[in-house]
Amino acid sequence: MKKISLTCVECPLGCDITVELDGERVVSVAGNTCPRGEKYAKAEVVCPKRVLTTTVRLENGKMLPVKTNQPIEKSLTFNAMQRVSKVTVASPIKIGDVIVKDLYEGIDLVACANSD
Amino acid sequence: MKNYDIVIIGGGPAGLAAAVSAYDNGVKSILILERDECLGGILNQCIHNGFGLTRFKESMTGPEYAYKFIEEVQKRGIEVSLNTTVLSLTKDKVVTAINSQEGVTLIKAKAVILAMGCRERSRGALNVAGARVAGIYSAGTAQKYVNVKGYLPGKDVVILGSGDIGLIMARRMTLEGAKVHAVCEIMPHSSGLKRNIVQCLNDFDIPLYLSHTITRIDGDKRVTGVEISAVDSDKKPIKGSEKYIKCDTVLFSVGLIPENELSKEAGIRLSPKTKGAEVYQNRETDVSGIFACGNVLQVHDLVDFVSEESELAGKSASEYVLNGEAEKNAINCIAGANLSYVLPQRIDKNAGGSVTLFFRTSGVFKNCKITVQDGQKTLLEIKKRVAVPGEMERVNLTEDKIKSIVGELTVGLEEGV
Ligand SMILES: Cc1cc2nc3c(=O)[nH]c(=O)nc-3n(C[C@H](O)[C@H](O)[C@H](O)COP(=O)(O)OP(=O)(O)OC[C@H]3O[C@@H](n4cnc5c(N)ncnc54)[C@H](O)[C@@H]3O)c2cc1C
Ligand code: SF4
């Protein structure tokens, strides 16, 4: 049995969570204040994922904030940054618009702001 | 001279939430003055996520959170003047504003809401030899360069101070291709949120040096390197602990202070502790009809609480406009042992309703007890497992308890319980 200590990053409270692992199997999760923490801890010990937030350049030279609409595997972070850095988009754009469809299978890059 | 019922100075999350709330409480003649070219305040450069979890149960980026409120302002047709800077404010609520189309305008308001936010502590805080070369930025300035202007201010970075903005910029600059060599924090604990230590530093193997500071910055025109040293419990550098790091950029993230030049000029009493106005529970300052909310009043950790506080200020301002000035029965509310401040600083016993007290502790305390006392008795005791200065605390006092207060109110923290 292995014990792993984690800090939940799902909200600013930052609960200290302990996960008990039997091989790959999660036996128990303790220390979380809410169910989000349990979900986070279970995923974190198997395959850590994060929502990526960054910017892309608009044709008018300004920057547009964007994010992945779901968390991506942490190990893909720099690969994603490289791909996103090549993207340029034209206005008008509405918040929520898809900027890159299927950045990774089923995960899109979406706009976080409007641009007219 | 133009006339409005309510003038709001600042169109960040505080100003926006105050405007919507004042409108919904019955005042329609409202003007928001914003010096930037768009609404949303500092949130426009905070492109990371984690906003709105308390309020919307959803993790949003800064611009997305701001947009929720901008939409509400637009839906109501509330008037906004962008690119307009407020130059001065008087006690009788005359606002002087300037923009390029109209030049200087005088605006008379029945009530004013201060929502100017805060600014970063200046470079003066960086009391280091050689701190006059290029390549030294505040973390917030660097954030604006990267996220709004799309330009990376440096490649090899050392960050002084572990405030949240510094942590967030450590990650952001790493993502954009810079190498962040170290984050130095003079205190034995980080001043940022734990989640930011994990997802901004640990995720990218960026070392955090606690009880460390920068003792020298080298460089002729541009920074070429820094010397960092461990510090003792008096924050004095320890000889022999020096370590040299080559870098071209130093970011400092050493805290925020409310932006209160206008408030001072209007003769509003400021708290030496929060550096914001002293207020009653309805967020009215000691100048009748002038209210304050958001970071101009107290530096919040979470924008969700800025919105909450600003809705209260907006509602109070609308009541002031509709019902006129109410007679107050004020008592003082004081920060006692181990607290750095308590807000509101005054409670009006005539106002009715419960009152939430906000405060920060002056250090890290474990197994402690928060006590609320008046001249004669203890009104409330709350045990806490941990309390840290980085997280704003709150306690609620019911109307009955408020009514029963004799003399002044003191909020304190007792250790070892
Ligand atoms: C870098 C950074 C990162 C943050 N990260 C998080 C986070 O992850 N999660 C979270 O919940 N919170 C976060 N916060 C906190 C949150 O952003 C703030 O609490 C919130 O933006 C404060 O709102 P405000 O309206 O009081 O101030 P601001 O957003 O600063 O708005 C003030 C507005 O007033 C305007 N103004 C000032 N003076 C004048 C004048 N004289 N005339 C006209 N206009 C004027 C300014 O231009 C500005 O638009 C962060 C803050 C910063 C600075
Ligand atoms: S467990 Fe819940 S309350 Fe604790 S940090 Fe995670 S999301 Fe926040």
Side-chain angles (χ1 to χ4, degrees):
Chain A
M1 207 83 90
K2 200 163 77 174
K3 270 194 186 176
I4 299 178
S5 301
L6 296 171
T7 302
C8 179
V9 300
E10 292 292 301
C11 94
L13 216 57
C15 296
D16 291 316
I17 301 183
T18 314
V19 184
E20 266 190 311
L21 273 181
D22 185 4
E24 287 274 282
R25 201 173 58 87
V26 175
V27 182
S28 72
V29 178
N32 53 309
T33 307
C34 78
R36 293 172 68 98
E38 180 170 341
K39 201 173 146 211
Y40 168 80
K42 282 183 176 163
E44 185 74 6
V45 292
V46 182
C47 173
K49 290 183 178 175
R50 303 280 186 265
V51 167
L52 177 70
T53 62
T54 182
T55 52
V56 295
R57 202 170 278 279
L58 288 158
E59 275 176 357
N60 65 14
K62 292 193 175 171
M63 306 306 289
L64 177 76
V66 293
K67 68 173 185 186
T68 56
N69 63 351
Q70 286 170 55
I72 60 170
E73 284 176 30
K74 212 168 81 177
S75 56
L76 289 175
T77 304
F78 284 99
N79 175 279
M81 280 303 292
Q82 229 171 30
R83 294 174 54 189
V84 171
S85 70
K86 298 196 182 96
V87 176
T88 312
V89 283
S91 305
I93 286 177
K94 282 207 74 66
I95 196 164
D97 280 359
V98 172
I99 302 298
V100 180
K101 178 100 194 120
D102 281 322
L103 182 68
Y104 297 100
E105 211 182 305
I107 302 176
D108 302 333
L109 191 73
V110 298
C112 297
N114 290 338
S115 166
D116 349 279
Chain B
M1 180 124 66
K2 293 187 188 170
N3 286 281
Y4 285 88
D5 283 350
I6 299 180
V7 168
I8 299 172
I9 308 176
L16 294 170
V20 170
S21 156
Y23 188 96
D24 292 350
N25 280 289
V27 173
K28 311 293 166 190
S29 160
I30 302 173
L31 175 66
I32 302 175
L33 299 168
E34 169 55 55
R35 72 177 164 205
D36 220 341
E37 61 179 24
C38 58
L39 293 172
I42 200 82
L43 292 181
N44 289 315
Q45 66 181 66
C46 299
I47 63 157
H48 56 280
N49 62 352
F51 296 85
L53 274 162
T54 309
R55 195 184 171 97
F56 298 108
K57 307 282 171 260
E58 179 188 342
S59 177
M60 292 183 252
T61 63
E64 289 173 309
Y65 186 95
Y67 186 64
K68 288 243 181 206
F69 288 85
I70 295 172
E71 246 185 333
E72 295 301 317
V73 164
Q74 288 170 343
K75 254 191 232 160
R76 288 166 180 74
I78 296 171
E79 213 178 313
V80 177
S81 279
L82 296 175
N83 298 307
T84 305
T85 302
V86 173
L87 299 174
S88 74
L89 166 68
T90 65
K91 259 194 155 105
D92 41 2
K93 289 163 292 228
V94 176
V95 173
T96 308
I98 187 166
N99 66 27
S100 54
Q101 282 117 49
E102 294 169 279
V104 173
T105 327
L106 293 183
I107 308 157
K108 170 88 180 133
K110 291 181 185 155
V112 171
I113 301 176
L114 307 172
M116 292 91 76
C118 59
R119 61 184 157 78
E120 292 177 284
R121 279 184 200 279
S122 70
R123 191 165 153 158
L126 233 179
N127 199 2
V128 186
R132 284 288 166 268
V133 290
I136 305 175
Y137 307 90
S138 73
T141 305
Q143 188 178 44
K144 190 161 189 171
Y145 277 143
V146 179
N147 294 346
V148 180
K149 300 195 191 302
Y151 143 81
L152 191 64
K155 279 272 173 204
D156 287 281
V157 187
V158 172
I159 299 178
L160 178 66
S162 64
D164 287 310
I165 314 173
L167 300 178
I168 280 164
M169 283 316 290
R171 171 179 61 186
R172 185 72 187 120
M173 291 190 71
T174 305
L175 285 176
E176 289 295 342
K179 169 94 186 142
V180 179
H181 296 272
V183 175
C184 295
E185 169 60 56
I186 197 162
M187 303 295 283
H189 50 84
S190 161
S191 55
L193 297 171
K194 265 196 282 181
R195 68 195 296 254
N196 286 336
I197 304 278
V198 174
Q199 56 180 0
C200 298
L201 301 187
N202 301 359
D203 269 9
F204 298 95
D205 300 320
I206 299 169
L208 170 62
Y209 295 93
L210 294 174
S211 299
H212 271 72
T213 191
I214 294 180
T215 35
R216 197 180 74 236
I217 299 180
D218 285 344
D220 188 3
K221 291 200 175 65
R222 170 106 196 180
V223 176
T224 53
V226 298
E227 178 194 82
I228 69 170
S229 304
V231 298
D232 61 21
S233 52
D234 295 325
K235 298 186 198 164
K236 294 266 181 307
I238 300 168
K239 275 227 151 35
S241 70
E242 299 86 358
K243 182 174 152 71
Y244 197 77
I245 304 174
K246 274 194 183 168
C247 62
D248 60 13
T249 305
V250 175
L251 299 190
F252 57 94
S253 173
V254 288
L256 301 164
I257 28 175
E259 172 89 59
N260 271 301
E261 297 312 315
L262 290 175
S263 326
K264 253 185 245 164
E265 214 183 302
I268 293 165
R269 180 158 48 196
L270 300 185
S271 152
K273 293 178 170 164
T274 56
K275 308 279 192 288
E278 290 190 354
V279 289
Y280 294 93
Q281 69 265 41
N282 68 349
R283 300 303 185 265
E284 187 172 4
T285 67
D286 72 326
V287 176
S288 164
I290 300 185
F291 299 78
C293 55
N295 280 357
V296 77
L297 181 61
Q298 55 177 336
V299 176
H300 289 261
D301 318 313
L302 293 180
V303 71
D304 308 61
F305 300 141
V306 168
S307 304
E308 178 190 23
E309 174 166 83
S310 306
E311 281 163 348
L312 170 60
K315 176 164 178 277
S316 308
S318 68
E319 281 164 0
Y320 181 91
V321 167
L322 298 172
N323 311 331
E325 189 177 348
E327 196 176 320
K328 296 192 178 70
N329 175 12
I331 54 155
N332 289 327
C333 182
I334 296 164
N338 301 320
L339 297 196
S340 56
Y341 78 83
V342 177
L343 190 142
Q345 290 83 358
R346 257 175 288 289
I347 294 174
D348 173 16
K349 285 175 81 173
N350 288 348
S354 64
V355 174
T356 307
L357 304 172
F358 295 84
F359 53 90
R360 285 185 193 270
T361 59
S362 56
V364 177
F365 298 98
K366 290 206 168 123
N367 300 320
C368 53
K369 187 166 75 177
I370 306 291
T371 59
V372 183
Q373 294 167 312
D374 69 5
Q376 297 176 343
K377 60 186 176 297
T378 300
L379 293 154
L380 204 67
E381 273 186 1
I382 293 170
K383 290 204 170 126
K384 294 212 59 105
R385 220 158 35 90
V386 270
V388 298
E391 271 160 60
M392 196 188 286
E393 305 277 352
R394 57 165 78 192
V395 294
N396 196 56
L397 282 185
T398 58
E399 179 160 9
D400 287 349
K401 291 224 160 90
I402 300 280
K403 288 234 167 77
S404 78
I405 299 171
V406 184
E408 295 181 329
L409 202 63
T410 306
V411 186
L413 178 147
E414 282 174 31
E415 282 183 272
V417 292

